[in-house]
Amino acid sequence: MRTQIGIVGAGPAGLVLSHLLHLQKIESVVLEARSRKYIEERIRAGVLEQGTVDLLVETGVGARLKREGLVHHGIELRFNRRGHRIDLYELSGGKAITVYAQQEVIKDLVAARLKAGGQIIFEVSDVSVHGFDGPKPFIRFRRNGQVEELHCDFIAGCDGFHGVCRPSIPASAITDFDYTYPFSWLGILAQAPPSSHELIYCQHERGFALFSMRTPEVSRLYIQVPNDEEIKSWPDDRIWSELQLRSALDGNWKLARGPVLQKNIAGLRSYVAEPMQYGKLFLAGDAAHIVPATGAKGLNLAVADVRILAQALAEFYKSGKTRLLDRYSETCLRRVWKAQRFSWWMTTMLHKFDTDSPFDHHRRIAELDYLTGSRAAMTSLAENYVGLPWD
Ligand code: FAD
Ligand code: DHB
């Protein structure tokens, strides 16, 4: 088999890339380890930046997102039993975030690619990437028991944090920057209407809690738990009472409860691999970097990377110039590091650390107090949260 761009992974990075390339009349084939059903049901992120929404809408895959996505003009920060609204819309000059589940973005993209005749090969195994340090890269994989090869001009490694592309680059050519936080998030999806119209980030002495949603009938809720915690130690009642305690307010507040549909624990990590390119292999999204979930940036960064990559490839195929391709890693990393900084800042400001001294506690409250009382500080949060300009 032959194509122009061989893409490993049908997550947001791989699918958006394939879609953008198609609009530039560049051919690609996407190889995905999982089934279509699996990737369309995998529960992950839910917050889309303004730029991500605009890109999906402008490129023709945003009709359902426009119809069903929940547009939010603000978020609440809650600490010391008081809520403080950050008016994202006003502070960012008219930008917003949209709550629309990642698996819905995936469904829309898969449908669009297949409708346009795009090739996504699901349930491949034993994927390996070769020849990318020379002129003839190719991807070897197994489909229905048969080994096949996909020859291409470039390989896009969009295979997430545990994929094969990044580890295939010689270790000496990559520098990684890694930080694992000393806590995790226990997340639930609950058949309960959101307790508030907007997301609530709670700082509390018992630990962080986040109130989000998926639809007007389904809530997505998270609490900070220790890293070695097991899900079986968290029966539903314990989760609800912890959510109640961490969101307690002097004033009107009622936590809506309902049947828990799904439960999971995920760690928080900051990771960056530099550079994001080696020869004809380009890494994008989680394959190159991970952010702690607090800033809601993971999916958005993946989309930002492939937007840059698609532009660079389009320039190459139009003019033969490699100017943008050569700058791909540098261009993406500037944005990636800013998202790292923001996600780290939100995480350390809102979570409880076991090592916290009384000084740390007071400093954290002072930071929140300053933030929610200063238009300058809130503006900084707002412009990062709705998404920094593309480049
Ligand atoms: P992925 O979505 O990971 O896609 C990679 C794809 O490659 C997958 O489909 C995978 O099956 C496939 N693949 C992997 N290895 C191979 C291989 N060898 N061959 C072929 N295919 C392969 N972000 C937030 O902002 N908020 C959240 O609440 C949030 N929750 C998350 C929960 C979980 C459990 C995880 C893992 C991530 C979460 N994220 C969250 C991060 C966000 O979902 C990711 O940043 C986003 O999915 C990145 O997209 P991607 O396309 O780079 O990678
Ligand atoms: C969600 C996840 C996040 O990490 C976040 O910061 C906000 C919302 C969510 O899953 O809805």
Side-chain angles (χ1 to χ4, degrees):
M1 270 169 91
R2 203 191 140 80
T3 189
Q4 288 174 294
I5 315 297
I7 301 176
V8 187
L15 291 170
V16 173
L17 178 62
S18 179
H19 173 63
L20 295 178
L21 292 174
H22 165 69
L23 297 179
Q24 299 280 353
K25 304 198 167 30
I26 300 169
E27 241 185 53
S28 66
V29 173
V30 182
L31 301 175
E32 168 58 48
R34 304 288 192 161
S35 67
R36 178 174 180 183
K37 180 171 160 42
Y38 184 93
I39 65 162
E40 291 189 344
E41 287 175 3
R42 185 165 48 192
I43 294 172
R44 286 193 171 172
V47 172
L48 306 187
E49 293 176 354
Q50 182 73 59
T52 303
V53 171
D54 293 346
L55 178 92
L56 295 173
V57 171
E58 283 160 16
T59 62
V61 285
R64 198 162 66 91
L65 159 64
K66 271 296 202 207
R67 261 194 333 270
E68 297 175 17
L70 306 170
V71 178
H72 288 204
H73 285 182
I75 56 168
E76 180 182 327
L77 296 184
R78 192 174 287 191
F79 61 100
N80 276 349
R81 302 181 67 88
R82 286 187 56 201
H84 305 261
R85 182 168 191 267
I86 312 267
D87 191 333
L88 301 171
Y89 188 79
E90 200 251 330
L91 292 163
S92 67
K95 293 184 184 163
I97 53 134
T98 300
V99 174
Y100 188 66
Q102 178 166 328
Q103 73 270 23
E104 304 306 322
V105 178
I106 296 290
K107 281 180 203 159
D108 297 343
L109 287 163
V110 169
R113 287 309 299 124
L114 297 180
K115 191 171 169 205
Q119 270 210 76
I120 307 170
I121 308 179
F122 293 101
E123 297 183 72
V124 298
S125 57
D126 300 337
V127 175
S128 54
V129 288
H130 306 271
F132 47 86
D133 50 353
K136 291 186 174 167
F138 67 97
I139 308 172
R140 189 172 289 141
F141 62 100
R142 195 180 287 276
R143 166 165 51 167
N144 300 327
Q146 299 293 315
V147 174
E148 298 185 35
E149 284 181 1
L150 173 65
H151 292 260
C152 47
D153 299 335
F154 299 95
I155 299 173
C158 300
D159 49 348
F161 188 64
H162 300 289
V164 295
C165 291
R166 190 183 67 254
S168 303
I169 298 175
S172 59
I174 292 254
T175 307
D176 19 41
F177 303 88
D178 200 0
Y179 177 69
T180 302
Y181 295 80
F183 37 73
S184 301
W185 279 15
L186 189 163
I188 62 167
L189 198 64
Q191 189 68 47
S195 302
S196 158
H197 291 307
E198 295 180 338
L199 271 61
I200 308 174
Y201 288 81
C202 303
Q203 189 276 348
H204 193 274
E205 62 197 16
R206 299 181 68 87
F208 171 76
L210 171 60
F211 293 76
S212 182
M213 65 199 68
R214 286 294 176 268
T215 67
E217 295 83 32
V218 175
S219 295
R220 179 79 169 141
L221 309 164
Y222 300 94
I223 49 173
Q224 173 185 352
V225 295
N227 266 345
D228 47 9
E229 205 70 351
E230 290 191 44
I231 200 89
K232 64 175 188 290
S233 320
W234 286 90
D236 297 355
D237 280 353
R238 184 176 175 205
I239 299 173
W240 287 115
S241 66
E242 206 56 43
L243 283 163
Q244 182 82 53
L245 287 167
R246 296 183 192 188
S247 61
L249 197 63
D250 290 333
N252 226 354
W253 162 249
K254 185 152 169 23
L255 172 61
R257 299 186 184 204
V260 173
L261 308 172
Q262 193 257 2
K263 239 194 262 200
N264 73 304
I265 295 184
L268 274 77
R269 186 169 190 164
S270 297
Y271 173 86
V272 181
E274 289 197 13
M276 291 167 57
Q277 176 205 357
Y278 183 80
K280 297 199 164 190
L281 171 60
F282 291 82
L283 302 176
D286 278 17
H289 41 74
I290 297 281
V291 284
T294 326
K297 291 280 165 255
L299 183 163
N300 296 292
L301 275 183
V303 172
D305 286 352
V306 296
R307 181 182 163 276
I308 303 286
L309 186 53
Q311 275 176 349
L313 289 167
E315 182 193 65
F316 172 77
Y317 283 109
K318 279 198 188 87
S319 67
K321 289 197 185 111
T322 61
R323 187 185 58 105
L324 292 179
L325 280 176
D326 295 341
R327 292 213 317 242
Y328 167 73
S329 177
E330 188 192 328
T331 309
C332 290
L333 284 169
R334 283 186 67 204
R335 194 166 205 285
V336 166
W337 275 110
K338 285 178 199 160
Q340 288 290 359
R341 181 209 70 82
F342 176 69
S343 305
W344 168 87
W345 173 72
M346 287 281 278
T347 304
T348 51
M349 177 172 66
L350 291 164
H351 288 72
K352 177 183 163 61
F353 288 71
D354 284 343
T355 51
D356 277 351
S357 64
F359 175 84
D360 294 319
H361 173 71
H362 282 284
R363 183 185 44 74
R364 189 167 293 122
I365 295 297
E367 176 147 22
L368 283 159
D369 197 12
Y370 165 65
L371 168 62
T372 53
S374 157
R375 188 176 169 89
M378 283 190 286
T379 304
S380 169
L381 186 154
E383 70 176 355
N384 280 278
Y385 197 82
V386 299
L388 293 173
W390 287 116
D391 31 36

